[in-house]
Amino acid sequence: MLALALVAVLASAVTPAPTRSQSPTAVFSLCRTSVRPCQREVNLLPGQAVTLDLVLRYSDGNALPVAVWEAHLKLACAGSVELVSPAGSAGPVRQQGDPRLALDALKGLTDGGSQVDAQYFTVQNRYSAASGELHYAVTLMGFGAAGPASRVETLQIRDGMVLGRITLRSTSSGVVDIVPGLVGNTFQAVSVSPSGELVPVEIAAVAVPLARINAGPGLAPVSLLGQVASPAWWPAFGAALPELSASFWEPAVLPPWRGGAALLVAVFDVIAPDSVGAFRVDDIPPVVLPPGAYNVRIKLPGALSQVVPDVVLPPVSGGSLTFGAPRYGDINGDDVVDAADLMLLRAGFGRLATDAGYQPHADFNADAVVDGQDFSILALSLHQRGD
């Protein structure tokens, strides 16, 4: 068995714990990255990988910063998957100055263990290739004149906040359950209140298993194919369309931005079209999208949404959804091109991709500068709304 034990170490300067009534209540989950609602069961073909988020969702909707935390996980029957260490990340914090903590950065761990110290966090790692045990200890806090404060921002998502990620790759057929590593002590966290006090987080519920991975060549996960047309003005050097999101809505009902009350059922983010605009939504489980008809919308950054109505799931084999060329100009992402987007374009006008304040969502033609061409593209969609 492969065990994952992630242990946070409290700083010695911790203030006395507040009363239990002050402790916020939260739910700890392990969910497939970029899928909402939480997808806990994943189907993998040989060689495929999946990234799972460790998600903390406060019951009252508030999101206090997390200063320290610990989780104890175990991969039961883990011979069917392997833990992936992505290339290009030498430490536990993502590169390019992004302060959000990622657990998938395991490069450099050895049987003897390693420790990383920085200005505002301490990470202690120990990994045994023989036993498969991983000990991951994190303290994400600093102490200033105003008292303790969390120095690392967590990634906010609609259904909570992501504290970290683990990536697993299929190596052979089998079922892998990710289960609590310690009974009654699966996850613990400490938050920092607005007044600077350290507040323990009470965990209200933990699903068992936390996640399940079905691996093997005989799997036939439900996938949906799509095609989006590239704009005629897309750069001649052949830049690919950016990653898009695909959302599934109640059929035959207008969306909120068109005055309707359609309910969003599920979202699959970070879908990369190929060089000709073809894409696929992989592994659509019935627990996330039950069989039935849905309006399928796609949205690219900076563009208005497009819809194909009444799409039946599971899809017919070989079928594909066809979307037109994106209509660009929606810089703020509210699915309408209006004065607010014009103001954002004006604020970033003339900025290069290397300049501070450059807004990639306003660089519609992806030529690394926000200029008159982008203004002309926005003008084509001014006062229009998404489908």
Side-chain angles (χ1 to χ4, degrees):
M1 291 191 178
L2 174 63
L4 291 176
L6 296 85
V7 183
V9 181
L10 289 172
S12 59
V14 169
T15 57
T19 62
R20 184 171 294 274
S21 61
Q22 294 175 284
S23 302
T25 303
V27 176
F28 170 66
S29 303
L30 198 61
C31 309
R32 177 182 165 193
T33 298
S34 303
V35 177
R36 304 188 303 270
C38 179
Q39 179 181 349
R40 295 187 177 92
E41 185 165 354
V42 179
N43 297 310
L44 293 181
L45 297 175
Q48 280 189 327
V50 64
T51 299
L52 302 174
D53 287 345
L54 282 77
V55 179
L56 186 67
R57 184 178 74 252
Y58 286 102
S59 302
D60 60 2
N62 294 321
L64 299 176
V66 176
V68 289
W69 62 274
E70 62 175 303
H72 304 272
L73 309 177
K74 180 171 64 177
L75 275 68
C77 303
S80 300
V81 298
E82 64 179 358
L83 199 62
V84 176
S85 176
S89 183
V93 175
R94 300 182 200 175
Q95 303 302 300
Q96 288 84 45
D98 188 343
R100 296 172 297 196
L101 181 68
L103 299 185
D104 56 8
L106 305 177
K107 181 179 179 181
L109 297 186
T110 64
D111 287 352
S114 65
Q115 179 168 336
V116 179
D117 292 299
Q119 182 179 1
Y120 50 79
F121 68 90
T122 301
V123 178
Q124 293 177 319
N125 295 324
R126 180 166 56 83
Y127 176 64
S128 171
S131 66
E133 294 182 351
L134 169 67
H135 300 276
Y136 201 98
V138 186
T139 302
L140 305 173
M141 61 179 6
F143 292 86
S150 177
R151 300 296 187 182
V152 175
E153 297 179 1
T154 50
L155 173 60
Q156 299 294 328
I157 60 175
R158 182 174 302 176
D159 295 327
M161 55 185 174
V162 177
L163 293 180
R165 287 174 169 161
I166 57 175
T167 301
L168 303 167
R169 179 184 290 117
S170 168
T171 58
S172 62
S173 298
V175 177
V176 178
D177 283 339
I178 304 178
V179 299
L182 295 175
V183 177
N185 193 29
T186 302
F187 180 85
Q188 293 180 331
V190 176
S191 295
V192 179
S193 71
S195 61
E197 293 180 298
L198 295 176
V199 183
V201 179
E202 292 189 359
I203 304 303
V206 175
V208 179
L210 287 160
R212 170 169 289 179
I213 299 174
N214 303 306
L219 297 174
V222 174
S223 298
L224 189 65
L225 305 180
Q227 177 78 46
V228 56
S230 296
W233 41 260
W234 202 253
F237 53 80
L241 288 170
E243 294 175 335
L244 58 85
S245 65
S247 57
F248 295 76
W249 298 72
E250 288 184 319
V253 182
L254 289 175
W257 55 89
R258 286 192 171 272
L263 295 178
L264 176 63
V265 181
V267 178
F268 292 76
D269 288 322
V270 196
I271 300 171
D274 64 16
S275 58
V276 297
F279 66 90
R280 61 187 296 146
V281 184
D282 277 323
D283 191 16
I284 305 175
V287 294
V288 173
L289 278 173
Y294 300 92
N295 287 352
V296 180
R297 283 184 172 82
I298 64 166
K299 197 173 193 313
L300 286 84
L304 297 172
S305 63
Q306 302 181 64
V307 65
V308 173
D310 300 319
V311 176
V312 176
L313 293 178
V316 177
S317 178
S320 179
L321 306 182
T322 301
F323 298 87
R327 296 171 293 155
Y328 281 90
D330 181 22
I331 301 173
N332 63 1
D334 63 356
D335 228 5
V336 59
V337 181
D338 55 15
D341 300 297
L342 280 172
M343 292 178 63
L344 289 172
L345 191 147
R346 178 184 299 175
F349 197 83
R351 297 184 188 273
L352 302 173
T354 54
D355 294 338
Y358 167 77
Q359 299 187 60
H361 291 177
D363 183 11
F364 306 124
N365 62 355
D367 62 354
V369 61
V370 178
D371 56 13
Q373 294 185 39
D374 300 299
F375 177 84
S376 298
I377 293 169
L378 183 149
L380 294 174
S381 302
L382 191 61
H383 305 309
Q384 295 185 25
R385 294 181 178 272
D387 293 335

